[in-house]
Amino acid sequence: MGRELQGVLYYYLTNVRHAFLIFWLVIVAIFILSIVLDALVGGDDMTIHFNLSFPIYIFAAALGFIVVKSTLPYLIKMGATRKIIYIGTVIFFIVFSSINALLANALNWLLRKLTKSEIGGGFIYTNGEQTTTFNHIADFLERDNFLYQIIVDLSLSFFFITVFFIIGLMFYRFGLLGGFLFVGVIAFTFIYGMADGWLAEFFIDIFSDFTIAFFYQLALVGFGVYLLSFFLLRRYTLQ
C-alpha cells in the first residue's frame, strides 16, 4: 500500500508540475515587474495592486476539475486501486493548497518589504464618508497576521479544489447533461435561498461574528465534500 500510494503521489506531482511552474512563473514575473516599477517611479503617490489570493483560488478550482479527466484514468490504467487513489488525491489536494497558500503570502509579504509604494487592497468598503481598502480576507478578522492569511488561503483553496473535484466527477460520470443539472441545482438552491432570505440570514450570522474559526469549519466542509466524492470515485470507469 505504501509503494502504491507513493506512486499515486509521484504521478500527481509529475502531472501538475508543468501547470504549476507556468502559473508561478507568471506570478513571479508580475512580482518582479512590480518591484521594477516601484524602483523607477514608485513613491507615496503610487499604489501597487498585488493580490494573489484570488488567483490561487481559481487555480485550485481549475485543478480540482481537470484532474478528474487528466489524471484519474492514468492512475487506474497503472493498476492503482480506487481506495489508494482516493487517499492519494486528498493528500495531494492538502499539499497543493498548502504550498500555494504559503508561496502567495510569502510573495505578498516580500513585496511589502521591498517596495516603498502603497500596496493596494483587493477589497474596497465605502460607508458614504470613508473608504477602506483590504488587501486580504484575513483583514476582516479580529487579528490579521501572516499565519492567519495562510490559514485563510489554505482553507479556501482546499474547499474550492474539493468542490470542483466532485463537480468534475459528476460531469465525467453523468456527462454534460448530468453535470450541468448538478450545477443548476446548486445555483437554483443558492438563488432561492437568497430570495427567500434564509441564506442571506446565514451569511449575516457568519459575518456578524467573523473569526478564524469560520475557516477551520470551511476546511471541515471541504473534507465533508471530499468524503461524498468516494461514492462517485468507486464507480469511476474508463471512458
Side-chain angles (χ1 to χ4, degrees), residues 6-212:
Q6 289 178 6
V8 168
L9 293 174
Y10 177 77
Y11 187 81
Y12 264 120
L13 176 64
T14 56
N15 192 47
V16 305
R17 180 176 55 190
H18 185 66
F20 182 83
L21 289 176
I22 290 178
F23 176 81
W24 282 107
L25 282 174
V26 172
I27 295 298
V28 170
I30 297 173
F31 174 78
I32 294 174
L33 179 61
S34 300
I35 294 177
V36 172
L37 287 175
D38 177 76
L40 295 176
V41 296
D44 295 335
D45 297 330
M46 179 176 175
T47 300
I48 298 176
H49 290 273
F50 189 84
N51 186 290
L52 295 181
S53 294
F54 285 109
I56 66 173
Y57 303 158
I58 296 171
F59 188 26
L63 184 72
F65 187 86
I66 291 172
V67 295
V68 173
K69 199 167 185 177
S70 67
T71 304
L72 297 188
Y74 297 97
L75 293 174
I76 293 175
K77 287 180 182 178
M78 289 193 312
T81 64
R82 267 65 169 181
K83 180 180 178 181
I84 294 298
I85 293 174
Y86 185 73
I87 297 172
T89 300
V90 72
I91 293 174
F92 168 74
F93 284 172
I94 294 171
V95 173
F96 176 82
S97 301
S98 301
I99 292 175
N100 275 342
L102 181 60
L103 288 176
N105 286 285
L107 285 179
N108 273 325
W109 177 84
L110 191 59
L111 185 66
R112 290 175 179 276
K113 294 297 182 181
L114 294 179
T115 58
K116 55 182 177 292
S117 301
E118 180 183 353
I119 306 299
F123 309 92
I124 300 176
Y125 172 75
T126 303
N127 61 4
E129 298 179 356
Q130 183 179 6
T131 299
T132 306
T133 60
F134 299 90
N135 190 54
H136 196 279
I137 297 176
D139 292 345
F140 293 97
L141 299 175
E142 73 281 3
R143 252 189 337 170
D144 175 28
N145 54 46
F146 186 73
L147 178 61
Y148 273 26
Q149 291 175 0
I150 292 176
I151 293 173
V152 168
D153 286 340
L154 169 58
S155 62
L156 283 168
S157 295
F158 182 73
F159 174 77
F160 283 122
I161 202 171
T162 54
V163 167
F164 278 83
F165 178 70
I166 201 169
I167 290 175
L169 286 172
M170 291 295 294
F171 273 95
Y172 188 88
R173 178 74 174 81
F174 300 105
L176 288 176
L177 180 61
F180 280 116
L181 182 62
F182 178 71
V183 174
V185 169
I186 296 175
F188 175 79
T189 303
F190 179 82
I191 294 171
Y192 177 78
M194 294 298 291
D196 195 49
W198 59 266
L199 191 57
E201 291 179 3
F202 173 74
F203 287 126
I204 291 172
D205 289 340
I206 289 176
F207 288 105
S208 63
D209 187 24
F210 196 53
T211 65
I212 193 65

